Structure formats: C-alpha cells, structure tokens
Amino acid sequence: MSTFILIALTGLALAAMYFLLAAGLSLIFGLMDVLNFAHGAFFTWGAYAAWWTIGQVSPGARGSTGGFLLALLVAPLVGAALAAAVEVGLLRRLYARPIYQVLVTLGVGLALSQLTSVIWRPDARPFPQPAWLAATSTVLGARVPNNRFLLIGAAVVVLAGMLLFLRKTRYGLVVRAGAENREMVQALGIDVDRAFTVVFALGGALAGLGGLFGAAYFGAIDPHLGSVNLIFAFIVVVIGGLGSIGGSALAAVIIGLAQQFGNYYTTWAGDFVVVLLLAVVLLVRPRGLLGAKH
Amino acid sequence: MRGEHELMGVHEGLGRYRALIPVAVLVALLAVPALPLRLPGLFDGPLNSPGNLQLLAVGFALGIAALSYNLLFGYTGVLSFGHALFFGAGVYLPTIALRKWRWDLGPALAFTLLAGVLLALAVGALALRTKGVYFAMVTLAFAQAGAVLVGKDPGGLTGGEEGLSLPTRPLPRWMVGVVNTDNLYWLTLAVLIAVYLLALRLITSPAGHVWQGIRENEGRVELLGLRPYLFKLLAFVISGALATVAGIVYLFLLSGANPRAVSADFTVTLLLMVIIGGSGSLWGPVAGALLYHYLNVRLTVWAGTPAVAGLPAILGQPLRDPLFIFGIVFILLVLFFPRGLAGAFAGRRLRPLARALGGTVPAREPRPRGEI
C-alpha cells in the first residue's frame, strides 16, 4: 500500500511538471498556432536561474528558504523575459510563414539550451534545495519528499489561476476570442499583437516555474532537462487536445501516473505505455480528449 | 519553368555545357581517393588520407539521410520529427542481427530494409491520421519511443548508452580496416548517387507531382479526386526506407551503433542540413549535410588551435560547442536565407549551375506550407 501511495504521488508530481509545460504550449498554440519548440529551453533556463539564485543567496549544498523563495520569483521572470524577447524579436517577423515560425523556435531552443552548456559547462549539477523541501513526509506509510507536494500544489494553483484568467478577465476573453477568429478580434480594434506577446510571456513564465520545480523534483539540472520533458509535454498536449487547459491537466495526470506505474515494473515500460496511450488516443479520438473540433 | 528562355539567352555560354557540371562534380568526387592534394587549414594532411575520406564519406551518408528527409519535408510539405527512427533502424538492426543473432550480412541487410519499410508504414499510417502540428508532435513521440527503447537496453540487445560495435567477422574483407577507407568512400558515394537518381525519378513521376501538389494545396489535390493520405503515406514510406539505407552505410563507416542516431536531436540535425542546403532542390540538402558535418568536425578542431585558445572565454567557449553555433545559424538562415544554399544558387547568376545539378530551382520561396 505504501508503495502504491508513493508511486501515485510521484506520478502526480510528474504530472504537475508536465502540466506546467503543457499549459503554456497549449495556450500559445491555441491563440497563435505556433508549435513552440523553444519551450523546453525556457524550462531549462528557469531551472538554471533558480539554481543560480539559490547559489547566490546561500552557497553550499543546502539551499536556504530565502533563496528558494527568491528563485520562485526569478525563475518565472527569466522564462517570461526570454519568451517575450523571442516573440517580439523573432516570431513577429514570421507570422505570414507558419512553418518558419516552428523552425525558428527550434533554432532558439537549440541555441538557448546549448547556451547554458556554454556558460555553465555541460555537466549535470546538484540542485540545492532547503532541507524542509528535500525532507520526506509520511502519508499512509509512504515516505514522500516534500517537493512532490509543493509541485502538485503549484500546478493546482496554476490551473485554477489560468481558468480564472481565461474565463473572468478581459485579457482572457481576448485570448479565447483570438483563438476562435483572429481577424475578427483585430477588426474590432483590439491589439492582438500585444495579446500574443502577453500569452507567449505567460507561457514562458509557466515553463520557467516548471523548470524550478523540475530541478527540485530531479534534484539535479543539466542543459537537456527541458528538451527531455518537452517531448512528454507534447504528448500531454496532443492527448488533452490542443488549446484546452482542462484537457492538458487531465492528460498530464493520466500520463504522469501511467509513466510512474509503468516504470515501477520495468525500467522502460513507463515511457512505452505513454506512447501506446498516444497511439490509442490518435486512433480513437484524433482531436484529443477535450480538444475542440477543427 | 518561369523565364527559361530568357535565362538560356543570358547564360548561353554556361547553359550549353550545363549537363557537364554534374558529370564534373561526380568525376571529382570519384577521384578524391586518388588525389594526394593538400588543402592546409581546410583538411589535415592530404585530401585522400583515411581521416579525410572518412569525413567526406560520413558527409555523404548524412547527405542520403537529408535527401530522404527532404522528399517528405521539401517536396511533400510534411514536417516530421520522427526521421531518426528509420535512420536508427538502419544503424541498429544490422548490428543486432550480426552481433547478437550471428546472421550473415545478406540476410541481415534484407531484414533491416524490410523492417525499415514496415516500421515506416506502421508509423506513417497512424501518424498521418493527424495533420500539421499534431503530426509533428506525434512523429516526435514515436521517435522518442524508439530512442527510449534503445537507451534502456532491453535484454542487453542495444548496448544502451554505450552503443554496440559492429563485428568484423561477417563483413567482406574489402570493407574492414582503415586501409580500406577508400572502398567505403566509393561504396557510400555509389549509394548516394543511386538514391539521388531514384529521388530524381520519383519527383518527376506522376506521384511526385501529386506530392508537390499536396505541398502547395492539399485541399485542391483532394478536390481532384485523389487521396492525399495515400500519397503522403507513400512519401513517408519511401523516405523512411531511404533513411534506413542511409543508416546502413553510416553504420559501415562508423563500425558501430550509437544511441545518438535514434535521438530526436538527430532529426533536428537533418532539418538543419536541409535548411542550410535549401529545401527546394535535391542537391541542396546533400550539400547542406556535407557542410554541416564538415563544420561540426572542424569547429571543434579550430577551437583547439592556439589562435582560438588565446581568445577570451566568451568567444572561445561557443566554438567548443558547435550545437550552439548551429542553433544561431539555424535562426539566421530561417530569417534571412530561407531558401538555403540552393536558393543562393538559384539567384540569377548561379541559376544555370543549380539547374545543371538537377534540382528543381525554387522560383519563389519553397513552400512546405500545406502543413502547419
């Protein structure tokens, strides 16, 4: 029983990390039709920004709580700043050429991820977290690291916040309307370009936050942290349905749990089950679990 | 082709001999193993040293892979991120068959080709049910499944992160050892030429015209009563099978299988080669692959020279990390030279040369825009 709880909670934490990546991807795609391959690099930069911040505040193998709280602020800011720069500096020039947008994000992803390796060397580095975060709590006999709970909590807060943002705010309205019919929104005199930048920056912030939590989850960071998780985030987005935040959350939970339970039995079954699930969803329901018909 | 006569008039001199240009390139490439030419700075030692022949031959093998990828990306307008799966099959399956199952070379290669075709058929049939971004992500996921399988080393079959070396016992003697690098060079070049001619035949065939029609406007192809799905599947399977062939010659050159060959990064590398060379022609991606591989090897060599070692870290460090530079190059190319080398050659002055090399010169921007 305690093993079951441990795997389930670890799976949910993994799901939370995937969701933080997938939510931004899905939002960006829903509004802008851009498949953002640079998203993994924002995640990696969030992780490195957090690691750097904690290292500056409290050098040593154990991070301080103050450093962690500051990192909680810095990581999403770095993600958002990078994303906004990419959107304004590069993507905006290419709105007439969608396939080149994908290619540019691919180049940005490659260069940005590799830049961490240029600056901080390619080796993996241990991620210093405060003692209370790395410590375990006992739930029904299972000893679960506290960072798992924090990750799950953060994802729930983000999910609620995004649903509120999309449904209750004026910006959310613009985003939802822009996803439906961009030209019409523009014709109504609304600055869609600015909405694009905001959505892109928001996605980058979520990815940066995901990077911080991902670093805590894995306990170490390296330049490929983002690109590895990006692939699973893509799977989550496809299974959940592009453009649907709720779908992403649902799919993330399914994928995270399937992967953890699969990996418990053999070292590779988890990743395989995930791809198998993807294949089944594609055969039965190509637009994803909660995706709109298009 | 637009403006053919006018161009013929302007470039009468070159135009008359343009059929000779590919022949000249071919003769030059075939002669390389016999040329003790020294190009200091560009190549270490004479051009026909085993090391340099290996460098060129690996470039050819990657060229075959890039060319196969471009049948899908440049000619059919389908952006797949799963190409490494088929290249990786060409690298891993013969190694496993020869090393673990102790098969002979012939059956091992026949099995690999068959498996490559069936794999492409299965993945393509499933993934092509989706379009655009979905297709890109789905193919990426399938390729990732392959990479995971190879990395986790099920049953000790793939060697995991370490990879697997190719046993020399089942290979014919002329393929084994550094002294026979020139034989491998010619073998790879021959395969490249064969694949190139096949691809040329394909893109000028009726099916090839449908592919390009799908690239331009899939809906219109459907209105004509054709089923784009089947034509895209055909392109996917042919392209996958040719990538398997590329994997096989690559394996012979490197005498071993390495998990990098199935990684998602490898597909991105292929895309980069295609973009460098230009997606609108057959020869562009081959040239792009050669240039990419050459730079990938030489940049690290240059990074080790005293001149670069003396540079401040902020300049020297990126040179030791070719992927960073390629990322930047990728962005600049997409922004400013989306037609790549082939596009540059298609400019007025170089157009006859480009045409002589057998490419369809992109009159405008290459437009793989049906998808995404």
Side-chain angles (χ1 to χ4, degrees):
Chain A
M1 184 62 189
S2 66
T3 317
F4 178 85
I5 298 284
L6 177 65
I7 298 173
L9 282 171
T10 313
L12 283 177
L14 198 60
M17 194 174 65
Y18 291 156
F19 171 71
L20 288 179
L21 264 176
L25 278 176
S26 184
L27 195 64
I28 289 171
F29 184 82
L31 178 66
M32 306 159 71
D33 289 337
V34 174
L35 178 61
N36 182 23
F37 272 89
H39 221 67
F42 301 155
F43 184 93
T44 305
W45 271 88
Y48 272 89
W51 166 78
W52 186 85
T53 308
I54 295 176
Q56 293 298 309
V57 174
S58 50
R62 273 273 162 256
S64 67
T65 303
F68 185 79
L69 291 178
L70 191 60
L72 215 46
L73 205 65
V74 173
L77 274 180
V78 166
L82 284 172
V86 168
E87 202 278 329
V88 174
L90 295 171
L91 288 181
R92 186 157 289 182
R93 301 155 164 265
L94 295 169
Y95 277 116
R97 302 189 291 172
I99 213 165
Y100 287 98
Q101 280 187 328
V102 175
L103 297 182
V104 148
T105 64
L106 205 57
V108 169
L110 200 60
L112 273 183
S113 306
Q114 219 49 44
L115 189 59
T116 59
S117 152
V118 168
I119 299 175
W120 292 291
R121 310 271 157 176
D123 335 287
R125 294 177 182 267
F127 183 75
Q129 39 191 326
W132 59 269
L133 199 56
T136 56
S137 300
T138 308
V139 182
L140 297 175
R143 292 163 58 80
V144 185
N146 287 334
N147 56 36
R148 310 291 195 259
F149 297 110
L150 189 66
L151 189 43
I152 296 169
V156 170
V157 170
V158 166
L159 173 61
M162 284 195 49
L163 289 177
L164 280 177
F165 166 76
L166 285 175
R167 299 208 176 136
K168 302 286 180 195
T169 67
R170 198 185 125 76
Y171 243 104
L173 184 69
V174 171
V175 169
R176 281 186 297 144
E180 288 287 324
N181 188 336
R182 196 187 306 165
E183 286 77 20
M184 180 58 88
V185 174
Q186 222 150 8
L188 291 172
I190 289 162
D191 187 356
V192 177
D193 278 2
R194 209 169 75 204
F196 281 9
T197 312
V198 169
V199 162
F200 218 80
L202 187 65
L206 292 182
L209 196 65
L212 161 67
F213 287 120
Y217 178 93
F218 292 113
I221 57 171
D222 68 78
H224 300 290
L225 196 63
S227 51
V228 171
N229 288 300
L230 183 65
I231 293 175
F232 290 108
F234 278 155
I235 296 178
V236 164
V237 170
V238 173
I239 291 184
L242 276 171
S244 163
I245 298 294
S248 287
L250 179 63
V253 170
I254 294 173
I255 294 301
L257 289 177
Q259 204 174 9
Q260 279 305 313
F261 278 103
N263 281 342
Y264 174 67
Y265 293 105
T266 53
T267 51
W268 52 274
D271 297 342
F272 244 67
V273 169
V274 167
V275 176
L276 205 65
L277 274 175
L278 174 71
V280 171
V281 169
L282 282 177
L283 279 172
V284 181
R285 203 179 162 86
R287 65 198 156 97
L289 296 177
L290 302 182
K293 248 195 170 101
H294 48 224
Chain B
M1 188 65 57
R2 189 185 61 149
E4 177 113 20
H5 296 291
E6 169 213 353
L7 278 166
M8 290 289 284
V10 174
H11 298 284
E12 189 83 337
L14 186 57
R16 189 176 299 161
Y17 301 108
R18 68 176 200 220
L20 292 178
I21 293 174
V23 178
V25 170
L26 198 60
V27 169
L29 288 178
L30 280 170
V32 164
L35 290 177
L37 200 63
R38 278 179 190 279
L39 300 167
L42 291 177
F43 290 96
D44 291 331
L47 192 56
N48 63 352
S49 73
N52 289 333
L53 287 181
Q54 168 90 2
L55 175 72
L56 290 172
V58 171
F60 296 156
L62 294 174
I64 301 169
L67 195 159
S68 74
Y69 186 73
N70 198 37
L71 283 181
L72 205 53
F73 173 69
Y75 284 93
T76 318
V78 173
L79 178 58
S80 158
F81 282 98
H83 218 57
L85 195 57
F86 312 115
F87 184 84
V91 170
Y92 269 94
L93 292 180
T95 319
I96 293 171
L98 293 175
R99 182 169 201 96
K100 303 284 175 182
W101 305 334
R102 306 195 153 267
W103 289 12
D104 286 327
L105 186 61
L109 294 187
F111 162 73
T112 301
L113 276 178
L114 186 67
V117 169
L118 291 179
L119 190 64
L121 194 61
V123 171
L126 200 56
L128 283 168
R129 289 169 61 90
T130 62
K131 285 181 184 176
V133 220
Y134 271 88
F135 180 80
M137 292 194 278
V138 169
T139 47
L140 180 66
F142 281 118
Q144 185 60 18
V148 165
L149 189 64
V150 165
K152 296 283 167 74
D153 194 14
L157 215 51
T158 63
E161 295 297 317
E162 303 283 305
L164 212 56
S165 69
L166 186 67
T168 49
R169 174 194 51 83
L171 299 179
R173 192 163 294 170
W174 59 267
M175 283 173 69
V176 179
V178 178
V179 285
N180 286 323
T181 308
D182 46 358
N183 290 337
L184 283 175
Y185 173 92
W186 278 316
L187 174 73
T188 316
L189 185 57
V191 175
L192 171 62
I193 293 166
V195 169
Y196 187 94
L197 293 175
L198 177 68
L200 189 62
R201 180 78 189 77
L202 281 170
I203 59 168
T204 49
S205 72
H209 288 132
V210 177
W211 291 346
Q212 290 161 65
I214 291 172
R215 176 188 71 194
E216 297 300 324
N217 190 332
E218 185 168 344
R220 210 172 285 172
V221 170
E222 206 158 8
L223 276 181
L224 290 172
L226 298 165
R227 288 185 62 191
Y229 176 84
L230 291 180
F231 284 95
K232 286 198 282 188
L233 187 57
L234 181 68
F236 195 87
V237 170
I238 291 176
S239 157
L242 292 180
T244 306
V245 171
I248 293 173
V249 287
Y250 185 79
L251 166 68
F252 288 148
L253 287 165
L254 295 218
S255 323
N258 183 296
R260 232 196 80 71
V262 275
S263 67
D265 283 353
F266 183 75
T267 305
V268 174
T269 319
L270 286 180
L271 191 53
L272 180 60
M273 295 170 192
V274 170
I275 298 289
I276 292 176
S279 58
S281 78
L282 275 186
W283 66 269
V286 179
L290 271 169
L291 187 64
Y292 170 86
H293 181 61
Y294 174 81
L295 287 177
N296 199 13
V297 172
R298 294 303 294 187
L299 279 178
T300 25
V301 173
W302 287 332
T305 55
V308 176
L311 287 176
I314 197 164
L315 294 174
Q317 197 56 38
L319 270 182
R320 275 176 275 277
D321 233 313
L323 266 183
F324 172 70
I325 297 183
F326 286 129
I328 301 286
V329 168
F330 200 113
I331 297 169
L332 294 178
L333 280 173
V334 171
L335 281 181
F336 301 112
F337 302 97
R339 292 151 66 188
L341 283 177
F345 273 76
R348 282 204 151 272
R349 183 161 307 177
L350 298 169
R351 191 173 289 218
L353 177 64
R355 195 164 296 155
L357 291 172
T360 51
V361 178
R364 288 155 290 144
E365 218 159 74
R367 291 198 302 165
R369 75 164 58 146
E371 296 289 312
I372 290 197

